[in-house]
Structure formats: C-alpha cells, structure tokens
C-alpha cells in the first residue's frame, strides 16, 4: 500500500545511519563504539528514543551470538569484557575476521517501523559487506499484491467467525 511521507523520512534516516556505520566499522572497534555510529546518527534526526534494540550481533554457528553490538558493554550477556590492570574491567575490541550484523531500526507505536540489516566481515582497514550489492531502495506494492493484506471480504468473514 501507500507509504506515508513520515515513514519515508524514517526509512531514509535509518538507511543513512546504517550506511554511515557500514562505511566506518572496522576491526579494533568495540561493540559499543559500533552501536554509537548508528545511535548518534539517529539521535541527530530526533529518532534515538525509537531505536529500542542493539545495533547488531555476531554470526557464527548460530544466527544470533556474541559479540553484542550494543550500547551496554556491561550488560551481563556481553562477554567481550575482561580484567585489565588493577582489576578494572575494559572493553575488548572486535578482532579482524569477526562477522557481525549492522541493523539499526526505528519503531514508532501505532505508526510502523524500519530495520535495515547487513552482514559484515571486519578487516583492519574496514569491512567486507556481504550485502553491499543488494538494493535498499524502498518499494511499495499495491495492497492487492501484498500477501499480508486482508481483503474486505476476508475481514468481514473473520469478524463473522469471531477471529
């Protein structure tokens, strides 16, 4: 169906944040630093309060695994902390060859949401973006072609059956 101007602006902001981060992520950064690339960009657009999840995660044997690309490096599930010096805890940098996602998103109640995800292999000089050639152009399908849309007849039938 038709996409509102506000959702188009939100899509553009998320896409710009994601592209900015993907251009700047490299081995040697912490998950917190990577998250800040997206979060700070969305803050400037007035959308940070709607960015309600981590920027990404590691990919390995499981789809979602460590490291966490999150603003909370001291979160109990964040294993990239180690003792340093006088028993102080410090962040460990993500190593070359780490595979992570970069997937900022904005979700506004009663309006909608946007998330754009790429998978990156970190290198010393940047990263290899496995989805670099995949288009992120926003497209809109007519409601009749959208498998998620429900026809007025089906809505009436569901209502009649109490579904």
């Amino acid at each position: 169906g038709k996409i509102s101007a506000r959702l188009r602006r939100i899509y553009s902001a998320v896409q710009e944040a994601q592209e900015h981060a993907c251009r700047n992520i490299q081995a040697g950064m912490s998950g917190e630093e990577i998250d800040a690339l997206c979060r700070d960009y969305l803050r400037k657009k007035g959308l940070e309060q709607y960015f309600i999840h981590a920027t990404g995660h590691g990919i390995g044997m499981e789809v979602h695994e460590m490291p966490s690309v999150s603003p909370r490096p001291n979160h109990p599930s964040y294993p990239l902390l180690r003792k340093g010096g006088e028993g102080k805890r410090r962040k460990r940098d993500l190593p070359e060859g780490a595979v992570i996602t970069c997937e900022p998103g904005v979700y506004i109640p009663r309006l909608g949401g946007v998330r754009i995800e790429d998978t990156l292999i970190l290198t010393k000089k940047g990263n290899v973006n496995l989805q670099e050639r995949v288009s992120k152009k926003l497209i809109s399908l007519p409601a009749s072609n959208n498998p998620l849309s429900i026809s007025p007849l089906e809505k009436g039938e569901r209502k009649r059956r109490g579904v």
Side-chain angles (χ1 to χ4, degrees):
K2 187 160 173 58
I3 300 170
S4 71
R6 184 174 180 203
L7 274 175
R8 285 184 185 280
R9 285 190 302 273
I10 291 167
Y11 184 90
S12 292
V14 172
Q15 183 177 19
E16 291 164 9
Q18 201 256 2
E19 289 171 350
H20 167 71
C22 288
R23 281 192 305 272
N24 290 287
I25 294 171
Q26 64 184 31
M29 296 177 77
S30 70
E32 183 178 26
E33 291 168 324
I34 294 169
D35 183 88
L37 291 171
C38 291
R39 202 163 297 277
D40 292 347
Y41 191 93
L42 291 171
R43 179 181 301 115
K44 291 174 187 171
K45 297 289 186 177
L47 296 168
E48 182 190 25
Q49 69 272 26
Y50 303 112
F51 185 10
I52 57 174
H53 57 81
T55 292
H57 54 83
I59 295 182
M61 297 298 286
E62 301 293 329
V63 174
H64 294 95
E65 61 180 52
M66 296 319 228
S68 175
V69 180
S70 167
R72 297 176 296 278
N74 292 318
H75 191 274
S77 67
Y78 194 86
L80 294 180
L81 296 174
R82 63 179 180 219
K83 297 260 182 180
E86 312 289 326
K88 296 177 183 172
R89 294 170 66 79
R90 64 183 179 94
K91 301 184 294 280
R92 190 176 88 184
D93 300 334
L94 298 178
E96 183 175 9
V99 181
I100 64 167
T101 63
C102 178
E103 49 183 299
V106 167
Y107 303 92
I108 300 178
R110 295 176 299 283
L111 176 66
V114 173
R115 184 186 295 208
I116 300 173
E117 178 176 349
D118 282 354
T119 303
L120 310 173
I121 302 170
L122 304 187
T123 68
K124 288 179 185 175
K125 295 183 179 181
N127 63 72
V128 176
N129 185 330
L130 300 180
Q131 281 86 29
E132 184 174 25
R133 298 183 70 160
V134 176
S135 173
K136 292 179 183 69
K137 180 182 176 187
L138 181 61
I139 60 171
S140 176
L141 299 174
S144 62
N145 292 341
N146 184 341
L148 299 177
S149 67
I150 300 173
S151 71
L153 284 174
E154 187 175 344
K155 283 182 185 177
E157 179 62 22
R158 287 182 174 199
K159 187 176 181 178
R160 186 183 67 73
R161 292 185 313 188
V163 177

